[in-house]
Protein backbone atom coordinates (compact mmCIF):
# COMPACT_ATOMS: atom_id res chain seq x y z
CA UNK A 1 0.00 0.00 0.00
CA UNK A 2 2.66 2.57 1.02
CA UNK A 3 4.59 1.93 -2.21
CA UNK A 4 1.41 2.57 -4.22
CA UNK A 5 0.85 5.86 -2.39
CA UNK A 6 4.46 6.94 -2.92
CA UNK A 7 4.23 6.00 -6.58
CA UNK A 8 1.17 8.12 -7.29
CA UNK A 9 2.48 11.03 -5.15
CA UNK A 10 5.66 10.97 -7.27
CA UNK A 11 3.60 11.01 -10.49
CA UNK A 12 1.48 13.91 -9.24
CA UNK A 13 4.65 15.69 -8.12
CA UNK A 14 6.23 15.51 -11.54
CA UNK A 15 3.06 16.85 -13.16
CA UNK A 16 3.14 19.79 -10.71
CA UNK A 17 6.89 20.37 -11.12
CA UNK A 18 6.56 20.45 -14.92
CA UNK A 19 3.85 23.13 -14.59
CA UNK A 20 5.68 25.24 -11.98
CA UNK A 21 6.56 28.66 -13.39
CA UNK A 22 4.47 28.22 -16.54
CA UNK A 23 1.14 29.92 -17.33
CA UNK A 24 -1.90 28.09 -16.02
CA UNK A 25 -5.52 28.88 -15.30
CA UNK A 26 -6.25 30.21 -11.80
CA UNK A 27 -9.73 30.57 -10.28
CA UNK A 28 -10.97 31.99 -6.98
CA UNK A 29 -12.84 29.77 -4.53
CA UNK A 30 -14.38 31.53 -1.48
CA UNK A 31 -12.49 34.82 -2.01
CA UNK A 32 -9.56 36.36 -3.92
CA UNK A 33 -7.05 34.77 -1.51
CA UNK A 34 -8.40 31.26 -1.92
CA UNK A 35 -7.11 29.95 -5.25
CA UNK A 36 -7.41 26.79 -7.27
CA UNK A 37 -5.33 26.22 -10.39
CA UNK A 38 -5.93 23.83 -13.24
CA UNK A 39 -2.84 21.98 -11.94
CA UNK A 40 -4.53 21.29 -8.56
CA UNK A 41 -7.40 19.75 -10.52
CA UNK A 42 -5.11 17.74 -12.82
CA UNK A 43 -3.12 16.41 -9.84
CA UNK A 44 -6.33 15.40 -8.06
CA UNK A 45 -7.65 13.65 -11.17
CA UNK A 46 -4.41 11.73 -11.62
CA UNK A 47 -4.51 10.46 -8.03
CA UNK A 48 -8.22 9.66 -7.94
CA UNK A 49 -8.09 7.85 -11.31
CA UNK A 50 -5.29 5.73 -9.85
CA UNK A 51 -7.38 4.85 -6.77
CA UNK A 52 -10.42 3.99 -8.92
CA UNK A 53 -8.37 1.71 -11.14
CA UNK A 54 -6.13 0.02 -8.58
CA UNK A 55 -8.45 -0.04 -5.52
CA UNK A 56 -12.01 0.06 -6.91
CA UNK A 57 -13.61 -0.63 -3.51
CA UNK A 58 -11.81 2.29 -1.81
CA UNK A 59 -13.25 5.76 -1.23
CA UNK A 60 -11.77 9.25 -1.67
CA UNK A 61 -12.06 12.54 0.20
CA UNK A 62 -10.27 15.14 -1.92
CA UNK A 63 -10.01 18.92 -1.60
CA UNK A 64 -11.07 19.93 -5.09
CA UNK A 65 -14.29 17.95 -5.05
CA UNK A 66 -13.49 14.53 -6.49
CA UNK A 67 -14.81 12.67 -3.44
CA UNK A 68 -16.65 9.34 -3.71
CA UNK A 69 -17.45 6.14 -1.71
CA UNK A 70 -16.75 8.04 1.47
CA UNK A 71 -18.23 5.35 3.72
CA UNK A 72 -16.08 2.51 2.41
CA UNK A 73 -13.62 0.66 4.68
CA UNK A 74 -10.61 2.39 3.11
CA UNK A 75 -10.59 6.16 2.52
CA UNK A 76 -7.90 8.12 0.68
CA UNK A 77 -7.66 11.70 1.99
CA UNK A 78 -6.01 13.80 -0.69
CA UNK A 79 -4.61 17.30 -0.98
CA UNK A 80 -3.46 17.46 -4.60
CA UNK A 81 -1.33 20.59 -3.96
CA UNK A 82 -0.86 21.74 -0.39
CA UNK A 83 0.52 25.24 -0.80
CA UNK A 84 -1.48 26.41 -3.81
CA UNK A 85 -0.83 30.10 -3.07
CA UNK A 86 2.93 29.47 -3.12
CA UNK A 87 2.60 27.41 -6.30
CA UNK A 88 0.53 30.09 -8.04
CA UNK A 89 3.00 32.84 -7.08
CA UNK A 90 6.11 30.88 -8.06
CA UNK A 91 7.37 30.15 -4.53
CA UNK A 92 8.76 26.58 -4.49
CA UNK A 93 7.21 25.42 -1.20
CA UNK A 94 4.30 23.02 -1.73
CA UNK A 95 3.53 19.33 -1.46
CA UNK A 96 1.22 16.49 -2.39
CA UNK A 97 -0.43 15.01 0.69
CA UNK A 98 -2.13 11.60 0.71
CA UNK A 99 -3.34 9.78 3.81
CA UNK A 100 -5.09 6.40 3.74
CA UNK A 101 -7.56 5.50 6.50
CA UNK A 102 -9.00 2.09 7.37
CA UNK A 103 -12.20 2.22 9.42
CA UNK A 104 -11.42 5.84 10.40
CA UNK A 105 -7.82 5.19 11.51
CA UNK A 106 -5.00 6.57 9.38
CA UNK A 107 -2.80 3.60 8.47
CA UNK A 108 -0.46 5.28 5.97
CA UNK A 109 0.58 8.79 5.05
CA UNK A 110 2.76 10.34 2.39
CA UNK A 111 3.75 13.98 1.92
CA UNK A 112 5.83 14.65 -1.17
CA UNK A 113 7.95 17.81 -1.07
CA UNK A 114 7.78 18.41 -4.81
CA UNK A 115 10.60 20.89 -5.49
CA UNK A 116 13.08 19.25 -3.10
CA UNK A 117 12.08 15.75 -4.25
CA UNK A 118 11.76 14.46 -0.67
CA UNK A 119 9.23 11.75 0.12
CA UNK A 120 7.97 11.84 3.70
CA UNK A 121 6.18 8.60 4.54
CA UNK A 122 4.80 6.69 7.45
CA UNK A 123 2.87 3.53 8.18
CA UNK A 124 1.00 3.08 11.46
CA UNK A 125 3.39 1.50 13.97
CA UNK A 126 6.33 1.68 11.57
CA UNK A 127 7.96 5.05 12.25
CA UNK A 128 8.36 7.94 9.83
CA UNK A 129 10.89 8.50 7.10
CA UNK A 130 12.15 11.18 4.74
CA UNK A 131 13.45 8.96 1.97
CA UNK A 132 15.54 6.45 3.95
CA UNK A 133 16.18 8.79 6.90
CA UNK A 134 14.22 7.86 10.03
CA UNK A 135 12.57 10.90 11.59
CA UNK A 136 12.24 11.99 15.18
CA UNK A 137 10.96 15.14 16.79
CA UNK A 138 13.29 17.60 18.54
CA UNK A 139 14.34 17.28 22.19
CA UNK A 140 13.97 20.96 22.96
CA UNK A 141 12.13 21.40 26.25
CA UNK A 142 11.86 25.19 26.41
CA UNK A 143 9.38 27.26 24.42
CA UNK A 144 11.73 30.26 24.64
CA UNK A 145 14.29 28.25 22.63
CA UNK A 146 11.75 26.81 20.17
CA UNK A 147 11.13 27.57 16.52
CA UNK A 148 7.43 27.34 15.71
CA UNK A 149 5.45 27.37 12.48
CA UNK A 150 1.86 28.27 11.71
CA UNK A 151 -0.49 29.09 8.88
CA UNK A 152 -3.65 31.10 8.39
CA UNK A 153 -7.00 30.11 6.93
CA UNK A 154 -8.35 32.00 3.90
CA UNK A 155 -10.75 33.98 6.11
CA UNK A 156 -7.94 35.34 8.30
CA UNK A 157 -9.33 38.83 7.65
CA UNK A 158 -12.10 37.82 10.10
CA UNK A 159 -9.43 36.72 12.61
CA UNK A 160 -11.17 33.40 13.47
CA UNK A 161 -10.40 32.03 16.98
CA UNK A 162 -8.31 35.17 17.61
CA UNK A 163 -5.61 33.60 15.46
CA UNK A 164 -3.73 36.89 15.15
CA UNK A 165 -3.55 37.41 18.93
CA UNK A 166 -2.36 33.81 19.29
CA UNK A 167 0.25 34.45 16.61
CA UNK A 168 1.45 37.52 18.45
CA UNK A 169 1.62 35.82 21.86
CA UNK A 170 3.45 32.72 20.59
CA UNK A 171 5.84 34.82 18.54
CA UNK A 172 6.79 36.72 21.69
CA UNK A 173 7.14 33.56 23.77
CA UNK A 174 9.25 31.54 21.32
CA UNK A 175 12.55 31.94 19.48
CA UNK A 176 10.60 32.60 16.31
CA UNK A 177 7.56 31.83 14.23
CA UNK A 178 7.54 30.86 10.54
CA UNK A 179 4.67 30.75 8.02
CA UNK A 180 5.67 28.56 5.08
CA UNK A 181 2.29 28.00 3.37
CA UNK A 182 2.00 24.20 3.31
CA UNK A 183 0.55 22.70 6.49
CA UNK A 184 1.46 19.17 5.38
CA UNK A 185 5.13 20.20 5.07
CA UNK A 186 4.96 22.09 8.37
CA UNK A 187 3.97 18.81 10.04
CA UNK A 188 6.84 16.95 8.34
CA UNK A 189 9.29 19.57 9.60
CA UNK A 190 8.02 19.00 13.15
CA UNK A 191 8.48 15.24 12.60
CA UNK A 192 12.05 15.95 11.44
CA UNK A 193 12.86 18.13 14.47
CA UNK A 194 13.33 21.27 12.36
CA UNK A 195 10.38 22.99 14.00
CA UNK A 196 9.49 22.26 17.63
CA UNK A 197 5.77 22.95 17.18
CA UNK A 198 2.99 23.85 14.73
CA UNK A 199 -0.50 25.22 15.34
CA UNK A 200 -3.27 26.48 13.08
CA UNK A 201 -7.01 27.16 13.19
CA UNK A 202 -9.58 25.84 10.70
CA UNK A 203 -7.48 23.29 8.85
CA UNK A 204 -9.18 20.64 6.75
CA UNK A 205 -8.69 16.85 6.91
CA UNK A 206 -6.71 16.77 3.65
CA UNK A 207 -4.19 19.27 5.11
CA UNK A 208 -3.34 17.06 8.08
CA UNK A 209 -4.32 13.43 7.45
CA UNK A 210 -0.90 12.25 6.26
CA UNK A 211 1.16 14.75 8.28
CA UNK A 212 -0.54 13.86 11.58
CA UNK A 213 0.51 10.23 11.24
CA UNK A 214 4.02 11.28 10.16
CA UNK A 215 4.50 13.52 13.19
CA UNK A 216 2.99 11.01 15.63
CA UNK A 217 5.13 8.15 14.30
CA UNK A 218 8.17 10.42 14.79
CA UNK A 219 7.29 10.81 18.49
CA UNK A 220 5.25 14.02 18.29
CA UNK A 221 2.04 14.88 20.10
CA UNK A 222 -1.14 16.13 18.37
CA UNK A 223 -3.97 17.78 20.31
CA UNK A 224 -6.50 20.58 20.11
CA UNK A 225 -5.71 23.92 21.78
CA UNK A 226 -6.89 22.61 25.16
CA UNK A 227 -4.42 19.73 25.05
CA UNK A 228 -6.99 17.02 24.26
CA UNK A 229 -6.09 14.33 21.73
CA UNK A 230 -7.74 15.10 18.45
CA UNK A 231 -8.51 13.73 15.01
CA UNK A 232 -7.99 15.01 11.47
CA UNK A 233 -11.30 16.92 11.56
CA UNK A 234 -10.18 19.24 14.40
CA UNK A 235 -10.51 22.96 13.71
CA UNK A 236 -7.84 23.78 16.34
CA UNK A 237 -4.77 21.79 15.53
CA UNK A 238 -1.61 21.77 17.66
CA UNK A 239 1.40 19.51 17.35
CA UNK A 240 4.79 19.59 19.04
CA UNK A 241 7.66 17.44 20.25
CA UNK A 242 5.58 16.89 23.42
CA UNK A 243 8.12 18.60 25.68
CA UNK A 244 6.91 22.15 25.02
CA UNK A 245 3.27 21.19 24.52
CA UNK A 246 1.91 22.43 27.86
CA UNK A 247 3.68 25.76 27.52
CA UNK A 248 2.00 26.27 24.13
CA UNK A 249 -1.42 25.13 25.41
CA UNK A 250 -1.18 27.60 28.31
CA UNK A 251 -0.60 30.46 25.86
CA UNK A 252 -3.27 29.36 23.38
CA UNK A 253 -5.81 29.09 26.22
CA UNK A 254 -5.54 32.71 27.31
CA UNK A 255 -5.19 34.42 23.92
C1 LIG B 1 -3.34 25.69 2.78
C2 LIG B 1 -1.94 25.50 3.28
C3 LIG B 1 -1.55 26.62 4.22
C4 LIG B 1 -2.52 26.74 5.35
C5 LIG B 1 -3.94 26.90 4.83
C6 LIG B 1 -4.29 25.73 3.92
P1 LIG B 1 -3.93 24.79 0.31
O1 LIG B 1 -3.72 24.62 1.92
O2 LIG B 1 -1.80 24.26 3.95
O3 LIG B 1 -0.28 26.40 4.78
O4 LIG B 1 -2.17 27.84 6.14
O5 LIG B 1 -4.81 26.91 5.94
O6 LIG B 1 -5.60 25.88 3.44
O7 LIG B 1 -5.14 25.65 0.11
O8 LIG B 1 -2.70 25.38 -0.25
O9 LIG B 1 -4.17 23.38 -0.10
CA1 LIG C 1 -4.15 22.24 1.90
CA1 LIG D 1 -4.76 22.13 -1.78
Amino acid sequence: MIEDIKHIATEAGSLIRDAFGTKFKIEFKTNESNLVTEIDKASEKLITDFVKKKFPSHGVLAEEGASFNMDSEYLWVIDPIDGTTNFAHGLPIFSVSIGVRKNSNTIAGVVYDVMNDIMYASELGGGSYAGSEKLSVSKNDKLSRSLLVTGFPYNIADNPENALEKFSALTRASRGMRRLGSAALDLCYVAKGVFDGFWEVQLNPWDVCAGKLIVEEAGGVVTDFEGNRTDIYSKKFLTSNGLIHNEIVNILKIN
Side-chain angles (χ1 to χ4, degrees), residues 29 35 40 63-64 78-84 154 206-207:
K29 298 208 282 186
L35 310 177
D40 294 72
E63 179 175 14
E64 308 306 343
I78 299 165
D79 195 333
I81 300 181
D82 186 52
T84 295
Y154 293 114
W206 43 81
D207 300 314

Side-chain angles (χ1 to χ4, degrees), residues 29 33-36 40 63-64 79-87 93-95 150-154 179-186 198-204 206-208:
K29 298 208 282 186
S33 301
N34 191 356
L35 310 177
V36 58
D40 294 72
E63 179 175 14
E64 308 306 343
D79 195 333
I81 300 181
D82 186 52
T84 295
T85 307
N86 288 348
F87 176 73
I93 304 174
F94 43 81
S95 59
T150 188
F152 298 117
Y154 293 114
R179 196 286 194 237
L180 298 187
S182 166
L185 278 180
D186 296 340
F198 163 78
W199 63 282
E200 185 167 344
V201 303
Q202 299 190 352
L203 285 167
N204 287 296
W206 43 81
D207 300 314
V208 297

Side-chain angles (χ1 to χ4, degrees), residues 3 15 19 33 42-43 75 105 154 158 180 212 247 249:
E3 292 309 318
L15 178 152
S33 301
S43 171
L75 184 68
N105 291 311
Y154 293 114
D158 301 332
L180 298 187
K212 177 176 186 282
E247 277 194 87
V249 166

